[in-house]
Each structure stands twice: as C-alpha cells, then as structure tokens.
Amino acid sequence: RRAAKQRPDCRAVRGGHHLGHLGVDEDQAARALDADPRSAARTLTDAVLTSGFAMQSLGGSRPAASAEHTIAHYWEMTGTVGNPRWDLHGVLVGAASRIVLGAYRRLFGMLPTFQPDPASRLAAYDRQPPWERTVEEGMRPFLPKIREEMAMRRFDRGILADRLARFAGRREEILAMARPLLDELSEAVRQMEGIGFPFALAELGVPEAAAMTAVRNVGLLRHRYSAFDLADELGLPQDA
C-alpha cells in the first residue's frame, strides 16, 4: 500500500482490486466468451493488467497469490491431480480458492464474538515444540524448502503478544476490510460454478486427504501471511 501511494503509475491499482472498479459487469463478462469473445478477452486483459500493476507496485506476487496458490503448488509438486484434463495451474488455483473461501467465511464468522485469551495463548506458545518435530509425514520430502521459508519468518513471543493486542484494538477494522473481499470472492465462485468450472475435488481427481494436507500446512509451505496465520495466532483450534 505504501509503495502504491508513492508511485504515480499505481493510482488506479490502489482502489481497483476487482473488475467492478473497471466498469465491468462481472456476470456478463463470465458468460461472454461464446457470444462476444472480444469483450471476454478485453475483460480478461483488464484483470490481468490490474493484477500485474499491483504486483509491480509492491515488488512481489503477494497481491495476486496467497494461500490458494500455495495449496495448488502443493498439489502440483506431489502429483496429486488424477485428472490430466484439469492438471493446470490456473484451474487448481481456482479450485483451491473455493476451499480457502469456505475456511475464511467460517473464520470471519467467528471473529465478531471470539474473545482471545492472551495469557493462555502465550502459555501455549511457550509449550509449543519446534516446528521440525511436528512435520507431517507427507511434508517431509519438502523439508529443505520448508526450512528456507521458515528461516525468513520473524516470529517470537513478543511479536505474538503484540499481534494479539493489535487484534483486540483493530478487530472491527479487520472485519470491515475482510467482508467485502469475501463477498466479492463468493460472487466470483458463484459465477464460475454457473459456467461449469471444475471446483469439485472428485472432478480434479484430488483425494480429500491430500487436499487437506495442503490446507493444514499452508503456513509451512510459504512465508506469506494469510488468515490461516491469524487463526493460529488467536489460538483457534485447527478444525475451526
């Protein structure tokens, strides 16, 4: 955000993170490929350029890639996708987005009334074994990459205490930011379902166990903060 403010070429990016800001009717665009392929191509190009400008302004892929990309990369690295027709990165990211959406909807549905207990959470942190001791068997082939990612992570008891305090003071701000984004993603998923996007794990040929392994280990696979990290810091149980 700071970079976008400093760079004049990024003014359009700061408030324009979805197609609605580009004057595009998303539902019409999703169905325009056969009827008006030029319009569909124009919409896609606008979206790709906006995403690219956002990444350029921040010097990384963070505006366009988070937990859903990490999950998709895991499926690709493990050869999990059993249906070759859908073993495409964009398709897998789309399918993972619906999984992430469900998890985030549940999390942000809990947060308005959830009362974190900083003392208990910090005590749990003190008892927590090093991550190396708790790595799942399915993740062990990726230990070199996990070590590389975790080496970049700056997290300790003091940082956790600070984040718990910040959540208490900025809960409403966090919720106000998250709700419209979740609504937007929900609408995108609805539109894609309407045109037959292969969201179902069975259609992709991805076993549920493999899918959930990726979800549980998002924080290990990539040093990139997501709402999964927020849930962990607040002390929410993993099944929540």
Side-chain angles (χ1 to χ4, degrees):
R1 186 178 299 167
R2 287 193 296 271
K5 288 180 179 178
Q6 292 166 1
R7 295 188 50 168
D9 57 320
C10 296
R11 289 171 187 159
V13 173
R14 276 182 276 162
H17 60 275
H18 57 67
L19 296 178
H21 282 105
L22 300 172
V24 175
D25 183 321
E26 291 126 310
D27 192 61
Q28 180 181 356
R31 301 176 186 279
L33 184 58
D34 291 332
D36 188 354
R38 288 196 178 201
S39 175
R42 188 181 304 113
T43 297
L44 177 61
T45 302
D46 284 344
V48 171
L49 285 171
T50 301
S51 175
F53 290 146
M55 289 188 283
Q56 182 186 47
S57 71
L58 294 178
S61 65
R62 183 63 181 86
S66 187
E68 73 293 327
H69 275 72
T70 303
I71 293 167
H73 282 310
Y74 177 82
W75 294 346
E76 292 166 319
M77 291 187 299
T78 55
T80 293
V81 184
N83 186 342
R85 179 185 181 190
W86 300 127
D87 193 5
L88 302 166
H89 183 65
V91 171
L92 301 181
V93 170
S97 293
R98 191 172 73 166
I99 295 174
V100 170
L101 173 63
Y104 285 7
R105 279 289 192 197
R106 185 170 182 182
L107 169 63
F108 284 95
M110 297 171 64
L111 291 188
T113 58
F114 177 73
Q115 296 300 326
D117 183 343
S120 296
R121 180 65 186 93
L122 291 169
Y125 175 84
D126 293 336
R127 297 190 300 269
Q128 188 172 311
W131 66 265
E132 294 93 337
R133 297 185 192 173
T134 60
V135 174
E136 296 183 38
E137 191 62 35
M139 301 300 297
R140 293 195 174 278
F142 307 105
L143 277 174
K145 177 59 176 175
I146 293 172
R147 289 193 181 99
E148 179 183 326
E149 295 293 326
M150 295 301 286
M152 294 186 286
R153 189 183 188 203
R154 298 291 175 262
F155 190 73
D156 56 28
R157 196 180 196 278
I159 291 173
L160 175 58
D162 179 66
R163 289 181 179 173
L164 289 168
R166 287 175 180 270
F167 173 79
R170 304 182 67 178
R171 181 199 307 257
E172 292 306 318
E173 182 181 344
I174 293 169
L175 292 171
M177 177 180 66
R179 285 173 179 140
L181 297 176
L182 292 175
D183 288 343
E184 181 183 331
L185 181 54
S186 296
E187 178 61 15
V189 167
R190 183 193 69 78
Q191 292 167 15
M192 296 300 286
E193 287 174 333
I195 60 174
F197 188 91
F199 282 111
L201 293 176
E203 190 171 0
L204 298 174
V206 175
E208 185 173 349
M212 292 304 103
T213 297
V215 173
R216 286 194 302 272
N217 292 280
V218 162
L220 288 178
L221 288 165
R222 189 76 188 270
H223 171 56
R224 180 161 285 179
Y225 195 91
S226 74
F228 289 109
D229 295 283
L230 174 62
D232 178 66
E233 290 169 1
L234 293 176
L236 288 163
Q238 193 171 75
D239 62 354

